[in-house]
Amino acid sequence: MLRSAALLAFALLSFSLRSSAEDTPVELKLRWEPGQTYLQESDTITTNFLTALGKTTDQKMHVRQTTSITVGKPNPDQTEAKVVITSILGEMSFEGKSYLFDSKNPGGSNPQLQQLFGGSAGRGFTLVYDSNGDFVDAKDIGSMVTGGAEPDLASIATARQLATLYRRSLEMGLPKIPVLPKDKWLSDEIVPFPQTGTVQVKLTSKFDGVVNREGHREAQISFDGIMKSKPDKDSTGRDLTTERPVSFGENSKVNGQVFFDLDRKTISLAIFAASIQLKVEGKPMPMHQQVTTRLVSMKPTAP
C-alpha cells in the first residue's frame, strides 16, 4: 500500500512538473553564438514546367549549397554573422540530358550553369544584430557586387536583396513573441526577390510541440500560406506601374516544417515546399520547389 502511494505521489509530481514546463512560453528566436562557426547544407529541387510555355519538356534542377556562418562580437552591443557560400553542386535535367556544375571545377561545367552559378562560391555578406538579437543591417556585400572600380548599382541592390532573402528564410515560420505548444500565429511580410521584386508572404504557423531529435530538445513548427507579387515602389513609397518580366501569380502557395534547437537557439532542420504560379512575360508557368536546409555542425571557430 505504501509502495502504491509512493508511486502515485511520484506520478503526480512528475505530471505537475511537466505541466508547469508546458505552461511556460518559450522564445523561438535565432541567437547567434559568438566564437562559433555554423555549417549549413541546403538541397533545392526545382521543377520548371516549361511545357506551359510551349517547350517540349520540363526542366528539373537540383542544387546543393554549403554555407558557413562565422559569428563574432566586435563590441558589447553587436553580434556579427559572416555568411559565406563555400561550395555549390548543381545538376540540371532538360530534354533527356543532364548538365552538371561543380564550384570546385567551374571551367569543366556546363556553360549555362556556369553563367548561373559561376563565381558564387566564396561570396557572402555579414548580418549585424544588436544586443537583443534583433537584426540591424547587412554589410560586407562587396564580394557579390560586379563592376570593379565602378560598382554596378543594380548588382548592389541585388546583393542587398539576397542578404535580406537569406535572413528572412532563416526566420520563416518563427514567432515574434514567446509561445506555448499548440499556439498558432499569423505573419504578413514583404520579402524582396532579385528577379520578381517584392513578394508578399502570408503564413499561418503552429507550434506543434517539443521533440527529441538527434539528442537535442527541439521545437517543431509547421506552417502554410500564400505568396504573391506586389508592385515595386519609388523612393517616396508610391507604387510603380512598371511590370517585371517574371512575377508571382495569385495562387502561389508555400508550406513547411521547422525544427528549432531550444538549447543552441538555432534552426537544425527546415523543409520548405512551394507551388508557385509564375508569370513569365505575361504567360503562366507553374514551378515547384522544395528546399531542405540542415545544420551540419556548430563548432568553436578555428583560430
Side-chain angles (χ1 to χ4, degrees):
M1 188 65 154
L2 289 175
R3 175 180 170 79
S4 299
L7 289 173
L8 177 59
F10 177 76
L12 290 173
L13 176 61
S14 299
F15 177 77
S16 175
L17 290 174
R18 184 165 61 250
S19 297
S20 176
E22 291 177 351
D23 288 343
T24 304
V26 294
E27 182 184 59
L28 305 180
K29 181 178 182 179
L30 286 170
R31 297 278 187 177
W32 298 110
E33 184 66 32
Q36 297 287 317
T37 295
Y38 302 71
L39 189 66
Q40 292 179 339
E41 187 176 80
S42 297
D43 282 287
T44 302
I45 299 174
T46 306
T47 302
N48 294 315
F49 294 94
L50 299 180
T51 48
L53 299 178
K55 303 292 185 180
T56 56
T57 62
D58 298 322
Q59 180 192 75
K60 188 171 184 178
M61 187 176 297
H62 179 192
V63 178
R64 172 166 290 181
Q65 176 178 309
T66 304
T67 306
S68 70
I69 304 100
T70 304
V71 186
K73 198 169 185 64
N75 62 66
D77 297 326
Q78 281 191 343
T79 298
E80 294 185 353
K82 183 179 181 182
V83 181
V84 178
I85 299 171
T86 56
S87 68
I88 292 181
L89 289 172
E91 180 179 5
M92 180 177 69
S93 301
F94 183 56
E95 295 183 339
K97 297 181 180 180
S98 292
Y99 306 91
L100 303 176
F101 176 86
D102 187 345
S103 60
K104 295 180 179 179
N105 182 28
S109 303
N110 172 261
Q112 185 177 348
L113 296 184
Q114 281 186 47
Q115 185 177 5
L116 188 61
F117 301 118
S120 295
R123 295 184 177 182
F125 45 84
T126 298
L127 302 176
V128 182
Y129 296 82
D130 64 18
S131 57
N132 294 320
D134 295 322
F135 175 74
V136 176
D137 195 11
K139 66 175 190 176
D140 302 334
I141 62 172
S143 64
M144 298 193 295
V145 175
T146 59
E150 297 182 3
D152 176 42
L153 296 180
S155 72
I156 292 176
T158 298
R160 288 196 173 278
Q161 288 175 336
L162 287 172
T164 301
L165 184 58
Y166 175 80
R167 178 180 66 84
R168 292 286 185 84
S169 69
L170 289 176
E171 300 170 355
M172 185 175 290
L174 296 182
K176 303 295 185 184
I177 60 174
V179 290
L180 291 166
K182 307 307 178 184
D183 276 354
K184 294 182 179 181
W185 57 94
L186 303 176
S187 60
D188 187 352
E189 299 190 46
I190 299 297
V191 181
F193 284 75
Q195 290 184 318
T196 61
T198 53
V199 175
Q200 183 180 27
V201 182
K202 302 176 76 171
L203 298 178
T204 300
S205 303
K206 180 184 177 184
F207 182 5
D208 294 317
V210 177
V211 298
N212 190 304
R213 185 176 169 277
E214 297 182 351
H216 297 276
R217 289 178 64 252
E218 300 188 349
Q220 181 176 342
I221 299 166
S222 58
F223 64 85
D224 63 80
I226 60 171
M227 302 181 293
K228 62 179 180 179
S229 288
K230 302 293 287 183
D232 290 332
K233 297 181 180 295
D234 62 17
S235 58
T236 65
R238 292 181 298 182
D239 290 347
L240 297 173
T241 56
T242 55
E243 293 188 3
R244 289 178 176 257
V246 181
S247 62
F248 280 54
E250 293 288 335
N251 296 318
S252 298
K253 298 179 181 179
V254 62
N255 65 79
Q257 280 190 319
V258 174
F259 291 87
F260 182 91
D261 192 309
L262 294 169
D263 298 318
R264 296 183 290 181
K265 306 297 183 184
T266 191
I267 302 294
S268 68
L269 176 66
I271 304 170
F272 303 149
S275 177
I276 302 171
Q277 305 301 319
L278 284 179
K279 288 185 178 180
V280 181
E281 296 182 346
K283 298 179 180 179
M285 188 199 80
M287 181 181 85
H288 289 173
Q289 188 172 77
Q290 178 168 309
V291 183
T292 303
T293 301
R294 297 168 291 276
L295 178 65
V296 177
S297 64
M298 175 183 170
K299 299 178 179 179
T301 302

